[in-house]
Amino acid sequence: MKPFLVELTGIAKEYPVGNKKLRVLKNIRLSVEAHEFLCITGPSGSGKSTLLNIIGCLEQPSKGNYTFDGMNVLGIDDTQLSRLRARSFGFVFQTFNLVPSLNLVENVELPFLYSREDSRCAREKALKAIEEVGLSDRRGHRPAELSGGEMQRTAIARAIAVNPKLMLADEPTGNLDSLTGRKILEIFQYLNRHGTTIIMVTHDQQVARFARRTLYIQDGEIADSF
Amino acid sequence: MHAERFIFKMERLPIVFDSYRKMLLVALRSIFLHKLRSALSILGVVCGVMAVLTMISIGEGARKEVLEGIRKLGTTLIYVRSTAASESAVYNHGASPANGLTLHDRDRIQSGCCHVTAVAAAKELSADIFTQSQRISTPVIACSDEYARILGLSTQQGRFIKKMDIEWDSKVCVLGQHIAEKMFENGRIGSCLRIGDDIFTVIGRLAQISLGSETDTVISKRNYNEMLFIPLGQERLLAEDATDNNLSHAAGLSELIVEVDNESAVSASVDIISRILEVAHNAVIDYEIIAPAELLAEAQKTQRTFNMVLAAIASIALLVGGIGIMNIMLASVSERTREIGIRRAVGASRQDILAQFLIESVAMTFIGGIVGVLLGTGAVCLISLMATWEMTINAWAVLVPLVLSVAVGLFFGIFPAVKAARMEPINALRHYT
Ligand SMILES: Nc1ncnc2c1ncn2[C@@H]1O[C@H](COP(=O)(O)OP(=O)(O)OP(=O)(O)O)[C@@H](O)[C@H]1O
Ligand SMILES: [Mg+2]
C-alpha cells in the first residue's frame, strides 16, 4: 500500500462561542497521496479554512488523529512543529499575509530565517522562486507598493521557495481578476507536475476544475468527493 | 554518533547566529521606523544610565582623590595646631591667656592619654638660607625627633634629626629634596649653610615625597620637598632676627602631631586631648584639633549619602524607563500581531518570536545605554569642572551602566516577548487591527 502524505481520521473542531460550542468540523476523514492536486470546495462558513489550517498545523483539532508524512504531528512540541511548518509546508493565504515592513525578497526569504538556512543559499532560492512567479523586476518593493496579484504571487513565491512537500492555498485567486487568477493556477499546475502536493480551497467551480480531485464540504462534513 | 551530531551542531552555529543578526536588523529597523516613539521610550533608561555612570565616577574620583588625600595625612594621627585666639575668648577668661601650644602641652598629652604612642612637636618659620653663592627663602620647620617617623618621612641620604641633636643643641639641618637640588653642591651631606646668623651642618636629605593633586581645603599634606628641618630649640636663634616672623606665634609651637595606637582610638583620644588642652589653656581656644580619620569618616559619609541619592535616582529612572520600554513593547506586540502570525505560519517557533522581541527591547535599552553613557560622560565633565572634584571615568563606570541597560531591556522586555510568543498562530493571523 502506498503511504499517504496526509492522513486525517476522525478530525473534529469545536469553538466555544459564549457558553455553547460551535461544531465547525465533524468527524473528517481524509487521505491525500503525495503529488496529488486536491481541491476543497463548499459554501461559506462550512469549515474549509479551518480544515486547511489544521492540515497546515496552524490550528489543533479538538479530536482526531493527524499523520503527516508518517509522523503523528499532534503529539510533537512547538519547536518541532515550527520546523515542520518552515521546511515542509508552503502556505498561501486568502489575504496574502506579507510582512509590511519587509520588501519582496525579504518576505520570500522569511521561511529560511526560521529553517536556519544559510544566508546566501536562502537568497538564491528566494530569487529563483521570484523569477518563477515573474516578479524579478519588483524585488525591492514593499507589499504596499505591489498590486493585489503581485502580492499573491509574492506569497506563492514564499511558499514555493522552500520547495515544500505540501502546498496549502486558501482561495489563492479569491481577490484577483480572472486573468491573474489563471496565471496563478498555471503556476500551481506547473508545480504539481514537478512533484509538489497541493491542497487548495476555493468556492469557484472554474478554479476547482484545475484539480484532479475535489472534496465538497458542507456543515463541517465531507459531503461529496469527485 | 554523538560526535557526528556535535559537529553538525557546531556547523549550524554560525547560521543560528546569523538568524539572530537578522532579527537584530529587523529590530533596529522597527526602532528607527518609529524614531520619536523609540526616543521617548528610552528616555528613562538614558537618565538611569547617566545617573549610574555619574555615581560610579564620583565614587571613583572621590575615593581616589579626597579620601586618599586625607588618608595620606595618616589615619592614626591627630593634629593639634595653634591658631590665634579670638579677642572675646581672651577677654572672657581674664588675666592669663595661654601662650599657644607649648612643650608642656606635649608632655600633658603624652602622659594624659593612654592611646598616645608618640607626640611630635614642630614650629614653622620662614628664614633666609645662605649658601656660598645663593640666598634662598624657604619655610623652616623646627621639629622634635619623632616628627619624621610619625609623618612617614624618610631620608634618602644621611639621617633625620635625632633626640641627641635636640638635647645637645646641635646646629644641624635636614633638607627637603627640592631645596637640596636647588643648592647643588652645597646641599651635600656635611656642607654648611647659614641660616639667620648661625651656621648649620647638613646631616640628611629627605626622599622625594609625592604629593597628590588634591586641593583639599581643611588640611593638605605639606610640600616637605621645599622645606628645611632643624632641631626643635634652634628656632630661638632665628626668631630674633628673622625678617618676616609671625610674632603672635613666636612664643609657642605651631603644631603637635599626636600618634595613637590604632584608628579606632582616634575619636576617644581627640576628646581626651581637647579636655587636657581646655584645662591647660584656661578654656582659651587658641588651637584646633584635626583628626584625618574623622575627616575621612566624614568625607565617606557625605559621599555615601550622595551615592545613595544617586542610586535612588538611578533605580527610579531605570524602573520608570523599564516600564516605558515594557509599555512600548506591549504596544508593538499588539500592533504586529498579524506579523507574528505570519512569522509563525512560515515556521517561526515560540523561541524565535521571543528572541525577536527580546532583541528589540534590549536593542532599544542598549541604544539608551550608549546615549546615556555619552551624556553621562558630559555630565561628569561638567560636575568635575563645577565642583572641582576630580572624577575619573574608568571601564567600570561605562560597563556597569551598559550591562544595567541590557538587564533592564531583558527584564522589562520579557513579559511583552512572552506575550508575543504565547500567541496561537491562527489567532494571530486572524487578528484585525
Ligand atoms: N476562532 C473562531 N471562533 C469561533 N468561531 C469560529 C472561529 N473561527 C472560525 N469560526 C467559525 O467556523 C466556521 C467555519 O469557518 P471557516 O473559516 O473554516 O469557513 P470557510 O469554509 O473557510 O468559509 P469561507 O468560504 O467564507 O472562507 C465559521 O462559521 C466561523 O464562524
Ligand atoms: Mg475561508
Side-chain angles (χ1 to χ4, degrees):
Chain A
M1 200 183 83
K2 198 174 167 188
F4 293 107
L5 184 66
V6 173
E7 207 168 1
L8 299 173
T9 46
I11 291 289
K13 180 73 189 177
E14 296 170 346
Y15 289 114
V17 176
N19 46 16
K20 282 195 284 183
K21 278 182 183 163
L22 180 67
R23 298 180 68 199
V24 178
L25 293 178
K26 303 158 197 165
N27 197 22
I28 297 279
R29 186 190 174 84
L30 170 64
S31 303
V32 182
E33 282 173 27
H35 312 307
E36 243 192 284
F37 191 158
L38 176 71
C39 190
I40 301 174
T41 63
S44 179
S46 56
K48 308 182 294 290
S49 297
T50 308
L51 178 60
L52 201 70
N53 291 336
I54 288 173
I55 296 172
C57 298
L58 289 178
E59 216 170 348
Q60 299 277 326
S62 314
K63 251 189 264 163
N65 284 313
Y66 175 17
T67 315
F68 178 82
D69 207 11
M71 176 167 54
N72 175 19
V73 292
L74 298 184
I76 63 177
D77 69 16
D78 176 73
T79 317
Q80 286 170 299
L81 211 57
S82 301
R83 200 163 301 154
L84 192 68
R85 280 200 291 265
R87 299 212 177 121
S88 305
F89 296 142
F91 244 105
V92 182
F93 299 95
Q94 193 168 357
T95 49
F96 319 139
N97 281 339
L98 302 175
V99 178
S101 60
L102 303 179
N103 69 26
L104 200 153
V105 183
E106 290 165 331
N107 261 293
V108 175
E109 275 179 349
L110 206 53
F112 295 117
L113 175 62
Y114 300 117
S115 61
R116 307 282 190 253
E117 190 92 20
D118 168 69
S119 248
R120 194 154 1 103
C121 190
R123 179 55 58 99
E124 238 168 61
K125 288 182 183 173
L127 290 179
K128 193 164 155 271
I130 291 167
E131 201 183 306
E132 267 177 74
V133 296
L135 282 176
S136 295
D137 53 340
R138 293 281 190 280
R139 237 179 279 174
H141 287 225
R142 295 276 168 92
E145 299 158 355
L146 294 171
S147 77
E150 286 165 343
M151 281 196 262
Q152 192 63 295
R153 280 189 278 163
T154 308
I156 291 167
R158 183 176 66 194
I160 64 177
V162 296
N163 191 21
K165 285 191 181 134
L166 178 61
M167 178 109 140
L168 299 156
D170 195 351
E171 313 221 12
T173 57
N175 292 330
L176 306 177
D177 65 280
S178 59
L179 192 70
T180 320
R182 213 187 156 70
K183 266 192 205 158
I184 282 166
L185 289 169
E186 274 162 10
I187 295 173
F188 278 22
Q189 248 177 349
Y190 168 84
L191 288 172
N192 182 239
R193 240 179 265 130
H194 286 79
T196 309
T197 314
I198 297 176
I199 301 177
M200 180 171 73
V201 167
T202 180
H203 41 216
D204 189 335
Q205 293 301 317
Q206 298 290 326
V207 172
R209 218 174 293 149
F210 278 82
R212 291 192 226 156
R213 179 155 76 111
T214 304
L215 289 183
Y216 186 78
I217 292 192
Q218 200 162 20
D219 290 333
E221 286 170 309
I222 298 175
D224 204 354
S225 175
F226 47 86
Chain B
M1 181 65 203
H2 263 287
E4 225 168 80
R5 256 173 73 179
F6 183 69
I7 290 164
F8 179 64
K9 277 197 173 162
M10 287 303 286
E11 271 175 7
R12 299 199 63 77
L13 210 60
I15 295 167
V16 173
F17 191 76
D18 190 56
S19 73
Y20 286 121
R21 190 184 60 86
K22 280 182 191 154
M23 286 180 199
L24 179 64
L25 289 180
V26 169
L28 290 179
R29 199 185 290 183
S30 136
I31 290 168
F32 284 103
L33 197 68
H34 311 282
K35 279 191 200 71
L36 184 64
R37 190 170 98 170
S38 310
L40 289 176
S41 50
I42 63 172
L43 212 57
V45 175
V46 170
C47 292
V49 163
M50 272 175 71
V52 173
L53 184 135
T54 320
M55 187 173 76
I56 296 175
S57 304
I58 287 177
E60 281 300 311
R63 193 157 28 247
K64 256 208 188 111
E65 298 297 327
V66 180
L67 304 189
E68 269 315 307
I70 293 173
R71 195 168 291 143
K72 260 189 211 158
L73 292 167
T75 48
T76 55
L77 301 186
I78 298 166
Y79 292 73
V80 182
R81 291 213 173 139
S82 93
T83 56
S86 65
E87 292 279 328
S88 63
V90 178
Y91 268 129
N92 290 344
H93 297 282
S96 56
N99 296 324
L101 294 171
T102 60
L103 287 175
H104 294 300
D105 290 327
R106 176 186 70 176
D107 299 338
R108 285 187 196 107
I109 290 170
Q110 194 133 41
S111 56
C113 178
C114 60
H115 291 293
V116 171
T117 50
V119 182
K123 181 166 173 60
E124 262 181 85
L125 323 124
S126 86
D128 291 333
I129 298 156
F130 301 88
T131 67
Q132 279 163 354
S133 53
Q134 289 167 293
R135 173 197 168 134
I136 298 169
S137 231
T138 187
V140 173
I141 295 183
C143 56
S144 63
D145 54 307
E146 299 277 27
Y147 194 80
R149 187 190 62 75
I150 288 180
L151 288 174
L153 306 174
S154 57
T155 47
Q156 189 187 45
Q157 286 171 6
R159 60 173 179 87
F160 198 75
I161 292 156
K162 286 195 172 156
K163 203 165 190 159
M164 62 175 186
D165 297 321
I166 295 164
E167 279 167 6
W168 295 352
D169 280 342
S170 318
K171 291 194 176 49
V172 293
C173 67
V174 176
L175 300 177
Q177 180 71 236
H178 291 174
I179 203 149
E181 279 165 12
K182 257 189 236 171
M183 290 177 183
F184 305 108
E185 287 295 283
N186 299 317
R188 270 186 337 215
I189 309 287
S191 51
C192 292
L193 305 173
R194 183 159 70 84
I195 306 176
D197 286 335
D198 296 86
I199 304 297
F200 285 75
T201 311
V202 177
I203 55 165
R205 177 196 274 215
L206 289 186
Q208 170 87 23
I209 291 145
S210 71
L211 295 157
S213 59
E214 79 269 13
T215 48
D216 187 23
T217 46
V218 193
I219 30 171
S220 50
K221 202 169 168 103
R222 287 205 195 72
N223 190 353
Y224 294 114
N225 295 324
E226 299 288 356
M227 290 181 179
L228 188 142
F229 302 84
I230 57 176
L232 194 64
Q234 299 307 317
E235 81 276 5
R236 269 165 304 177
L237 299 171
L238 307 179
E240 286 148 20
D241 50 26
T243 42
D244 77 296
N245 202 348
N246 191 343
L247 279 172
S248 68
H249 285 259
L253 299 166
S254 41
E255 183 170 62
L256 290 174
I257 302 169
V258 183
E259 186 192 50
V260 296
D261 49 13
N262 67 69
E263 213 175 297
S264 54
V266 165
S267 142
S269 305
V270 166
D271 288 343
I272 296 168
I273 291 167
S274 72
R275 286 294 302 155
I276 292 172
L277 292 179
E278 206 179 321
V279 172
H281 289 217
N282 291 325
V284 178
I285 310 297
D286 53 358
Y287 53 85
E288 58 176 347
I289 302 175
I290 301 161
E294 291 191 326
L295 291 177
L296 190 70
E298 199 68 26
Q300 277 170 336
K301 217 162 99 191
T302 317
Q303 194 210 329
R304 220 172 295 139
T305 318
F306 193 75
N307 267 356
M308 253 145 70
V309 170
L310 266 177
I313 293 173
S315 21
I316 289 170
L318 285 178
L319 182 75
V320 172
I323 291 170
I325 293 294
M326 185 149 108
N327 189 28
I328 215 68
M329 288 312 295
L330 283 173
S332 175
V333 166
S334 74
E335 200 173 74
R336 283 152 66 187
T337 302
R338 266 182 86 82
E339 180 186 324
I340 294 166
I342 297 166
R343 288 177 184 273
R344 295 281 278 142
V346 300
S349 63
R350 289 189 197 280
Q351 277 116 296
D352 290 326
I353 299 296
L354 188 87
Q356 189 190 324
F357 281 94
L358 265 189
I359 285 172
E360 185 165 332
S361 66
V362 170
M364 201 140 50
T365 54
F366 190 67
I367 291 173
I370 290 173
V371 174
V373 163
L374 292 179
L375 291 180
T377 309
V380 164
C381 292
L382 252 173
I383 292 176
S384 61
L385 269 182
M386 295 197 312
T388 63
W389 273 347
E390 200 62 40
M391 309 212 312
T392 43
I393 298 178
N394 61 6
W396 284 117
V398 173
L399 272 180
V400 169
L402 280 184
V403 167
L404 269 180
S405 73
V406 169
V408 165
L410 278 177
F411 185 78
F412 289 94
I414 197 96
F415 175 65
V418 165
K419 202 176 164 220
R422 283 256 178 87
M423 286 178 184
E424 286 301 325
I426 192 66
N427 294 340
L429 274 174
R430 285 216 183 109
H431 186 85
Y432 289 96
T433 39

